[in-house]
Amino acid sequence: MATGAQLTASQFANLRTFLVAARHASFALAAQELSLTPSAVSHRIARLEDSLGLLLFERLTRQIRLTTDGQRIYAALQQCWDSLHAALHGGDLLAGNVTVHARPSIAQCWLVPRLAGFTALYPDISLDLRVGNEQVDFRAGQVELAIHYGDASFPGLASQHLMDESLAPVCSPAYAHEHGLLDRPENLKNATILHDTLAWPACAPDAEWQSWAAALSPAITLPTRSLRFDRADLCALAATHHAGIAIGRRQLVQPWLDSGQLVLPFGGFNVASPQAYHLVHAARSPLPARVQVLMEWLLGQAQER
């Protein structure tokens, strides 16, 4: 690899290609962004690896993954790229890409319906939204911000409280009438309850139902008949189709309540969730301006309701 002023246009292109491929964790997606073929991306990465004498990616079946060296170089190169971008734009870095990770339910029900407002305010910031139930690994630098539902313990990371959550059973109006549920929580024994088995990290499969039931006086005995999902939004969707009664999170199910597809048979959201939503990112100071404005916008959205 040439150093200092000897960095050639070809080597610069290889570094840019590496940044994009690492961010997407995909040669094919990098090729789309860069208007190249996947083969051209692969060749550029191979040339960069040869020049560095390092293996940057593990080539797995149908996927790639940064090696330890790749993670280290990606993190350093991303910081350099941010600094260069800032210098070229007079210190204003309200442009570029921000990769955000969120659990599927909060992404679909809360975040995605609001994104048009962000892009209208910041048209030069591109958001790359990744969803999944897996834990986020910030060490590789591929995710810059995560929306986490759980407790506030994030060792080695920085976090900011986004919003609280409250719980209440929800079902379709027809299901409530059919099973005599309106104002009669004791009739749950005749119902099918819907579980989000991955409500938060390392929770029991029925954790949300147990939290709600324990807050009642007297406590309710839950039925054993159930359907299980790994997403809160799928529980709510199943409830709209009369499959049973789910624990609704207010931040997620309010649109279904507003439309009348779901009702609150036992009253409103009077049980606080033991968990909350947090914005989590690597402990990096200062944060890139594009990440900072996204966090500020998210906090503003959380305060609207």
Side-chain angles (χ1 to χ4, degrees):
M1 169 73 72
T3 59
Q6 296 176 331
L7 184 67
T8 67
S10 173
Q11 290 164 334
F12 187 85
N14 294 344
L15 290 170
R16 174 60 177 155
T17 302
F18 168 69
L19 271 175
V20 176
R23 171 160 48 83
H24 286 296
S26 166
F27 288 170
L29 292 177
Q32 291 179 22
E33 179 172 330
L34 297 169
S35 299
L36 299 169
T37 66
S39 177
V41 169
S42 180
H43 285 310
R44 284 188 179 186
I45 299 299
R47 286 195 294 269
L48 179 61
E49 289 176 323
D50 286 343
S51 67
L52 294 174
L54 298 171
L55 183 66
L56 300 176
F57 289 103
E58 294 180 60
R59 276 74 164 175
L60 307 173
T61 304
R62 297 182 180 177
Q63 64 175 319
I64 58 172
R65 184 169 61 203
L66 283 170
T67 63
T68 300
D69 286 327
Q71 292 177 11
R72 174 174 52 82
I73 291 173
Y74 176 75
L77 193 56
Q78 184 63 60
Q79 287 188 328
C80 292
W81 192 264
D82 288 346
S83 298
L84 175 61
H85 200 144
L88 293 173
H89 291 81
D92 181 8
L93 198 57
L94 297 183
N97 183 83
V98 181
T99 303
V100 181
H101 184 279
R103 298 287 290 273
S105 296
I106 189 68
Q108 176 161 309
C109 299
W110 188 85
L111 178 58
V112 170
R114 290 168 164 79
L115 288 182
F118 180 80
T119 57
L121 287 173
Y122 302 103
D124 295 324
I125 298 178
S126 299
L127 298 182
D128 186 350
L129 180 60
R130 313 286 178 86
V131 299
N133 285 323
E134 69 277 2
Q135 293 292 95
V136 181
D137 184 356
F138 286 93
R139 292 173 299 177
Q142 291 171 292
V143 173
E144 292 175 281
L145 184 66
I147 302 176
H148 178 88
Y149 182 59
D151 62 26
S153 176
F154 307 103
L157 300 171
S159 68
Q160 188 166 356
H161 177 270
L162 177 62
M163 57 188 175
D164 292 319
E165 187 58 281
S166 53
L167 309 175
V170 295
C171 63
S172 69
Y175 195 88
H177 286 290
E178 180 182 352
H179 292 82
L181 296 176
L182 295 174
D183 298 320
R184 300 289 298 275
E186 64 272 16
N187 284 348
L188 271 175
K189 63 180 181 293
N190 302 317
T192 298
I193 56 176
L194 310 175
H195 292 301
D196 174 9
T197 61
L198 295 176
W200 56 81
C203 72
D206 59 350
E208 287 187 310
W209 271 106
Q210 292 294 347
S211 294
W212 174 80
L216 300 186
S217 181
I220 295 295
T221 300
L222 299 175
T224 58
R225 186 167 59 254
S226 67
L227 291 174
R228 299 186 176 198
F229 304 87
D230 64 356
R231 289 169 48 172
D233 60 318
L234 293 181
C235 290
L237 181 61
T240 67
H241 290 280
H242 327 299
I245 181 168
I247 285 291
R249 297 181 203 158
R250 184 176 71 87
Q251 303 290 357
L252 306 185
V253 303
Q254 193 63 52
W256 281 306
L257 294 169
D258 293 342
S259 70
Q261 293 175 276
L262 291 176
V263 295
L264 296 158
F266 311 137
F269 292 96
N270 54 8
V271 174
S273 171
Q275 311 297 324
Y277 299 98
H278 306 271
L279 299 177
V280 186
H281 56 87
R284 174 183 175 186
S285 181
L287 277 175
R290 63 183 186 279
V291 178
Q292 187 63 50
V293 296
L294 175 58
M295 290 180 61
E296 292 170 357
W297 179 81
L298 290 169
L299 290 166
Q301 293 297 304
Q303 293 170 3
E304 286 188 359
R305 185 184 289 275

